[in-house]
Amino acid sequence: MLRAAFEAGYETWGFNRSEAGAKAARSDGFDVRSDIEAVLGRAAESDALIVIGVPMPALDAVLTDIRTFAPQCAFTDVVSVKGPVAETVHRHELSAKYVGGHPMAGTSESGWDASTPDLFKGAAWAVSVDPDVHAEPWTRVARLALDCGAVVVPVRAAEHDRAVARISHLPHILAEALAIAGAGGGELALGLAAGSFRDGTRVAATAPELVRAICEPNAEALLEVLDDSLRVLTAARDSLRDTDSIAQLAEAGHDGRNDYDTFRRWAITGITPGDHDWLAKLAEAGRRGGVVESLD
Amino acid sequence: MLRAAFEAGYETWGFNRSEAGAKAARSDGFDVRSDIEAVLGRAAESDALIVIGVPMPALDAVLTDIRTFAPQCAFTDVVSVKGPVAETVHRHELSAKYVGGHPMAGTSESGWDASTPDLFKGAAWAVSVDPDVHAEPWTRVARLALDCGAVVVPVRAAEHDRAVARISHLPHILAEALAIAGAGGGELALGLAAGSFRDGTRVAATAPELVRAICEPNAEALLEVLDDSLRVLTAARDSLRDTDSIAQLAEAGHDGRNDYDTFRRWAITGITPGDHDWLAKLAEAGRRGGVVESLD
């Protein structure tokens, strides 16, 4: 995020609670420190837009610091799940300045060395249009996303969380299960594994604590879609056992992937942040696959 | 296969039951015809090695033709599952000349236009070392695999089928289920979908009839591992519901992927086809991750 914003021409500085992490960034010329008071003090002085990029369990501490050192700053986050973050922000009485965000981009690697300014190019970046969102911070957050090369998907927190349970958290769950099944076959199975196994387990290479921090806060939505998938898989198992056929699964799965392959984003135009009903209109457009591509 | 063998310097010709398919190959300069008698007649005259590349349901007809027109030719196959193919070959009384094969490579596309001579470069190519395999055809099949740029994994049919259920067939099943879950989220979910969904559903783009032809003949082994995975996923669901945690799944999945990432093939040496116990020795080496890299 820091690299991408810097590359986009923003004045940037950052915080990392680990001095080693901060040092790694500094060695590449970025002003990153492990002194939260100093970093947020500078944010307060310069009316900066704060981007929170911590796993969910660390959010409370960061919000306490923002409340203390930079309570007037607009802020967003790149924490996966949006409902629980919004609730936590609300508990800290910081909602007026907050706009939730979630860039749909990442790698299975972590740490400063894994960072790249190009991560968000062409990505979808969810930006909250919940009813309590204000136009001024929304525009700043959306502009940052666009400046980083992404397109903005306007979405309400609860709908976002249900959607990402399907396309981001369930993929993690299934990848873990597949990796377990493959490794259970020993060296012979791993030696025969090719593209389908490699791709299907790619995200299982993610650090387990990060997978947990991404998926567990979205338990409710994830449980719903995981139950759906268990029903689908159980039906396929029964069909294979009883009739030697996986026809229904194979047809429906192919249709689903085809929906994905033929899906095309379309550009939302004519809705200005702050106008009457702008939040509801953007939410409705986002629901139908619309994205904000510019703010002019 | 035809392209790869041609590129490796073999004299090649082929059969396709569809004249359109044969014509597409001919237009690229390959001698491919839809007249099975002529194609197999030439094979019989020149003592060719026949490679069967048809889906399982078409196997019976091809074996009938081989029995009729080229009963003395050595032959192999690139049909996914090995046990059912070997049984069918046995029924046609062609086992003495047969050596099962399975190159672990492919794309989700089909047809002549999807073919490339480089498909097998660096791939694992399973070659059967079942007790009834003869050294002469085995060596020819292994040499073809090596000449196409692959390494040979010696494996018994039943063990192969259990292994590929884990690393090739289960990935298809889970990819179909994931594609169904994603598409079930509508345009919002598809619009937010990024790398984890794209990679996790890649093989769901495969034609459903091909997925069925690959998976269904391996029903017994696939059912076993699918049941295992249903247990793993159900345990994760229960843990998420009851304790808000997917720790066990995330740890075990990460370990599994790590086994895959750190797996290294090793070169089998000192076993000559035809020597005492060569089949058992090769099977044992393959089981432990060994591959044949040369036949000198």
Side-chain angles (χ1 to χ4, degrees):
Chain A
M1 184 69 253
L2 191 77
R3 277 194 194 273
F6 175 82
E7 192 88 354
Y10 285 72
E11 183 189 347
T12 54
W13 65 99
F15 165 77
N16 193 309
R17 65 172 179 161
S18 136
E19 178 53 27
K23 204 173 167 188
R26 282 201 303 276
S27 75
D28 277 349
F30 290 89
D31 179 11
V32 176
R33 289 185 267 173
S34 57
D35 174 353
I36 188 75
E37 184 173 347
V39 170
L40 285 176
R42 182 173 165 193
E45 276 164 31
S46 44
D47 192 29
L49 172 66
I50 300 169
V51 181
I52 302 176
V54 297
M56 191 67 199
L59 184 65
D60 244 323
V62 170
L63 291 175
T64 300
D65 288 332
I66 290 179
R67 183 84 199 272
T68 307
F69 302 117
Q72 301 306 317
C73 282
F75 68 105
T76 184
D77 72 303
V78 294
V79 184
S80 165
V81 72
K82 298 273 63 70
V85 173
E87 281 163 37
T88 311
V89 169
H90 185 75
R91 241 183 11 254
H92 285 264
E93 297 176 2
L94 289 166
S95 296
K97 293 290 188 172
Y98 171 68
V99 180
H102 185 202
M104 305 306 296
T107 78
S108 55
E109 285 161 64
S110 318
W112 177 259
D113 288 345
S115 64
T116 152
D118 294 335
L119 184 63
F120 308 112
K121 294 231 189 313
W125 191 312
V127 179
S128 165
V129 286
D130 283 290
D132 57 351
V133 163
H134 292 248
E136 192 270 335
W138 193 90
T139 305
R140 285 183 75 175
V141 172
R143 194 178 303 282
L144 174 65
L146 297 176
D147 288 341
C148 290
V151 295
V152 170
V153 177
V155 62
R156 291 196 171 140
E159 291 175 77
H160 166 275
D161 291 353
R162 285 195 296 271
V164 296
R166 292 176 182 273
I167 52 81
S168 170
H169 302 167
L170 185 64
H172 276 285
I173 301 291
L174 296 182
E176 308 284 13
L178 182 57
I180 291 167
E187 289 172 316
L188 178 62
L190 294 176
L192 289 172
S196 64
F197 184 78
R198 185 189 59 234
D199 289 355
T201 59
R202 183 180 60 82
V203 292
T206 312
E209 50 277 19
L210 184 56
V211 175
R212 295 183 60 188
I214 289 170
C215 294
E216 291 174 357
N218 200 23
E220 194 182 325
L222 180 53
L223 278 170
E224 199 176 309
V225 68
L226 181 51
D227 270 330
D228 284 352
S229 293
L230 280 167
R231 274 189 290 273
V232 164
L233 288 169
T234 303
R237 191 267 317 266
D238 293 348
S239 170
L240 184 61
R241 184 190 56 202
D242 301 338
T243 69
D244 279 328
S245 170
I246 54 162
Q248 212 183 334
L249 178 81
E251 293 286 350
H254 187 259
D255 287 350
R257 170 73 194 200
N258 190 53
D259 285 353
Y260 169 70
D261 283 332
T262 56
F263 170 80
R264 291 291 171 268
R265 296 164 176 162
W266 52 271
I268 302 169
T269 53
I271 305 174
T272 306
D275 279 4
H276 179 68
D277 255 0
W278 70 285
L279 289 164
K281 283 178 185 164
L282 283 178
E284 174 55 23
R287 213 171 277 138
R288 291 185 292 109
V291 296
V292 176
E293 292 181 349
S294 77
L295 287 168
D296 305 329
Chain B
M1 184 68 252
L2 192 77
R3 278 195 194 273
F6 175 82
E7 192 87 356
Y10 284 73
E11 182 188 347
T12 56
W13 65 101
F15 164 78
N16 193 310
R17 64 171 180 163
S18 138
E19 179 52 29
K23 205 174 164 186
R26 281 201 302 276
S27 75
D28 276 350
F30 290 88
D31 179 11
V32 175
R33 288 185 268 172
S34 57
D35 175 353
I36 188 78
E37 184 172 347
V39 170
L40 285 176
R42 181 172 166 194
E45 276 164 31
S46 43
D47 191 29
L49 172 66
I50 300 170
V51 181
I52 302 176
V54 297
M56 190 68 200
L59 185 64
D60 243 323
V62 170
L63 291 176
T64 301
D65 289 331
I66 289 179
R67 184 82 199 273
T68 308
F69 301 117
Q72 301 307 317
C73 282
F75 68 105
T76 184
D77 72 303
V78 295
V79 183
S80 166
V81 73
K82 297 275 63 71
V85 173
E87 280 163 37
T88 312
V89 169
H90 185 75
R91 242 185 8 255
H92 285 264
E93 298 177 2
L94 288 166
S95 296
K97 292 290 187 174
Y98 170 68
V99 181
H102 185 203
M104 305 307 295
T107 78
S108 55
E109 285 160 65
S110 316
W112 178 260
D113 287 345
S115 65
T116 152
D118 294 334
L119 184 62
F120 308 112
K121 295 232 191 310
W125 193 312
V127 179
S128 164
V129 285
D130 282 291
D132 56 351
V133 163
H134 292 246
E136 192 271 334
W138 193 90
T139 304
R140 285 183 75 176
V141 173
R143 194 177 305 282
L144 174 65
L146 297 176
D147 288 341
C148 290
V151 295
V152 170
V153 176
V155 62
R156 292 196 168 139
E159 291 174 77
H160 166 276
D161 292 352
R162 285 196 295 272
V164 296
R166 293 175 181 273
I167 53 82
S168 170
H169 303 168
L170 184 64
H172 276 285
I173 302 291
L174 297 182
E176 308 286 12
L178 182 57
I180 291 167
E187 290 171 314
L188 178 62
L190 295 176
L192 290 172
S196 64
F197 185 78
R198 184 188 60 234
D199 289 355
T201 60
R202 182 180 62 80
V203 293
T206 312
E209 50 277 18
L210 184 55
V211 175
R212 295 184 60 189
I214 289 170
C215 294
E216 292 174 357
N218 200 24
E220 193 183 326
L222 180 53
L223 278 169
E224 198 176 310
V225 67
L226 181 51
D227 270 331
D228 283 351
S229 294
L230 280 167
R231 274 189 290 274
V232 164
L233 289 168
T234 303
R237 190 268 317 267
D238 293 349
S239 170
L240 184 61
R241 185 190 55 202
D242 301 337
T243 68
D244 280 327
S245 170
I246 54 163
Q248 211 183 335
L249 178 81
E251 293 285 350
H254 186 260
D255 287 351
R257 171 73 193 199
N258 191 54
D259 285 353
Y260 170 70
D261 283 332
T262 56
F263 171 81
R264 291 291 171 267
R265 295 163 175 163
W266 53 272
I268 301 169
T269 54
I271 305 175
T272 305
D275 280 4
H276 179 68
D277 254 1
W278 70 284
L279 289 165
K281 283 178 186 164
L282 282 178
E284 174 55 24
R287 213 171 277 137
R288 292 184 291 110
V291 297
V292 175
E293 292 181 348
S294 78
L295 287 167
D296 306 327

